[in-house]
């Protein structure tokens, strides 16, 4: 079974170099995943893809069944999960179109089921580095290899949405150290860690966050920027997939070791 998974927008499996092998519906104890998992062949490598917001992008970030999605990847044998997401730039360096290999997270979400261990068993997994160091290194190496400028670190603050933020919220997030704001990295990253799946996010800056520019924030702008960035993102994904080593030598694979109460 494929060991590499991709979660993101549906643009991925429409890449020219991607062949759809089959759909794989997965039953989970947590209900329905966002969509059928798609088994793909990407430059000769089999990967599993899931559209986080459903096939027609009909599922808002607070309604995504993060547990079912991560469980599904785990049950299909995925060990490395490449995540794509859109963010607003808080740090003025992050203009629309910038691509960031995130290295930290601040979680501002509420009311999302954020653990697989809520009864009988208690686990406290180490999350000081929320993204897999090997996947981060692979993204950065891939970007260099294809001459794509990326920012090699950045703190992602995850809000509940679906509304965009107020100016005061963004000012506050900036003060507490956030570089960019999105709505989906949590609890996805934490659940992947509990599932001992390596997880790494490539964030595409689609807009200046609220109040960083005087322009009104629109979903149209977000979609346009994602579409414009998709050729670069797809190239980055392809190169990253080719650089991922079969053996894992990172802490993610042993996340549950010594984590049980
Ligand atoms: N805020 C939150 N999520 C986002 C944004 C934003 O400005 N842009 C894209 N996703």
């Amino acid at each position: 079974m494929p060991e590499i998974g991709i979660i993101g927008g549906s643009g991925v499996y429409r890449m020219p170099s991607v062949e759809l092998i089959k759909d794989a519906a997965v039953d989970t104890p947590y209900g329905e995943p966002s969509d059928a998992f798609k088994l793909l062949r990407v430059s000769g490598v089999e990967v599993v893809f899931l559209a986080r917001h459903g096939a027609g992008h009909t599922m808002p970030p607070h309604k995504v069944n993060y547990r079912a999605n991560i469980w599904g990847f785990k049950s299909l044998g995925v060990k490395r999960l490449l995540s794509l997401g859109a963010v607003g730039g808080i740090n003025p360096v992050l203009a629309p179109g910038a691509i960031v290999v995130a290295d930290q997270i601040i979680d501002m979400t509420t009311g999302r089921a954020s653990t697989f261990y809520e009864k009988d068993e208690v686990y406290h997994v180490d999350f000081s580095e929320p993204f897999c160091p090997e996947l981060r290194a692979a993204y950065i190496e891939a970007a260099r290899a294809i001459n794509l400028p990326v920012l090699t670190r950045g703190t992602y603050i995850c809000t509940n949405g679906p509304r965009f933020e107020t100016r005061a919220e963004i000012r506050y997030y900036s003060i507490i150290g956030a570089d960019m704001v999105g709505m989906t990295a949590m609890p996805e990253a934490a659940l992947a860690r509990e599932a001992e799946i390596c997880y790494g996010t490539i964030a595409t800056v689609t807009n200046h966050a609220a109040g960083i520019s005087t322009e009104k924030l629109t979903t149209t702008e977000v979609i346009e920027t994602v579409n414009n960035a998709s050729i670069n993102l797809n190239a980055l994904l392809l190169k990253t997939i080719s650089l991922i080593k079969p053996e894992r030598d990172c802490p993610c694979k042993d996340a549950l070791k010594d984590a049980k109460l």
Side-chain angles (χ1 to χ4, degrees):
M1 268 313 222
E3 298 201 344
I4 298 177
I6 302 174
I7 185 160
S10 50
V12 171
Y13 64 90
R14 301 205 188 93
M15 288 194 280
S17 48
V18 167
E19 180 194 338
L20 175 62
I21 303 170
K22 61 171 182 185
D23 280 0
V26 176
D27 269 343
T28 88
Y30 302 100
E32 297 261 311
S34 297
D35 193 13
F37 289 82
K38 307 223 171 266
L39 208 54
L40 310 177
R41 192 169 293 113
V42 180
S43 308
V45 182
E46 281 191 14
V47 305
V48 183
F49 173 80
L50 181 67
R52 181 188 285 118
H53 297 283
H57 203 118
T58 46
M59 210 172 281
H62 62 294
K63 292 281 186 196
V64 169
N65 191 340
Y66 295 94
R67 286 196 299 191
N69 291 351
I70 296 295
W71 182 276
F73 277 114
K74 177 88 181 169
S75 68
L76 290 169
V78 166
K79 296 200 167 65
R80 317 258 201 180
L81 185 52
L82 314 183
S83 143
L84 300 174
V87 292
I90 299 178
N91 186 326
V93 166
L94 300 185
I99 296 175
V100 190
V101 180
D103 74 322
Q104 277 298 323
I105 298 182
I106 300 172
D107 185 9
M108 301 296 286
T109 63
T110 53
R112 300 184 181 186
S114 56
T115 177
F116 292 115
Y117 299 103
E118 53 189 3
K119 54 173 193 249
D120 304 331
E121 288 180 308
V122 178
Y123 281 86
H124 299 290
V125 290
D126 178 20
F127 203 47
S128 27
E129 296 299 335
F131 299 107
C132 169
E134 289 193 344
L135 281 190
R136 281 184 24 77
Y139 287 140
I140 293 166
E141 196 186 334
R144 287 206 182 110
I146 62 168
N147 268 328
L148 179 68
V150 296
L151 288 113
T152 56
R153 59 206 303 169
T155 297
Y156 179 128
I157 194 160
C158 190
T159 60
N160 225 39
R163 66 166 176 84
F164 290 126
E165 300 71 36
T166 66
R167 274 192 296 118
E169 285 168 336
I170 292 299
R171 198 167 353 115
Y172 168 60
Y173 296 162
S174 166
I175 291 166
I176 64 173
D179 296 304
M180 54 195 165
V181 55
M183 302 178 190
T184 55
M186 288 298 287
E188 201 170 85
L191 291 165
R193 181 60 53 85
E194 284 188 353
E196 299 186 326
I197 295 175
C198 300
Y199 180 90
T201 290
I202 303 176
T204 302
V205 180
T206 52
N207 55 281
H208 289 290
I212 301 291
S213 102
T214 47
E215 302 282 304
K216 183 184 162 202
L217 228 163
T218 67
T219 306
T220 314
E221 176 191 5
V222 170
I223 294 168
E224 264 175 27
T225 317
V226 167
N227 289 343
N228 291 341
S230 69
I231 292 177
N232 284 339
L233 283 175
N234 290 345
L236 181 57
L237 271 183
L238 289 187
K239 190 70 195 171
T240 304
I241 290 168
S242 76
L243 290 175
I244 291 176
K245 296 176 192 69
E247 288 307 313
R248 295 198 289 171
D249 191 20
C250 51
C252 320
K253 66 180 187 334
D254 302 311
L256 295 184
K257 191 165 169 254
D258 300 328
K260 192 164 184 209
L261 200 68

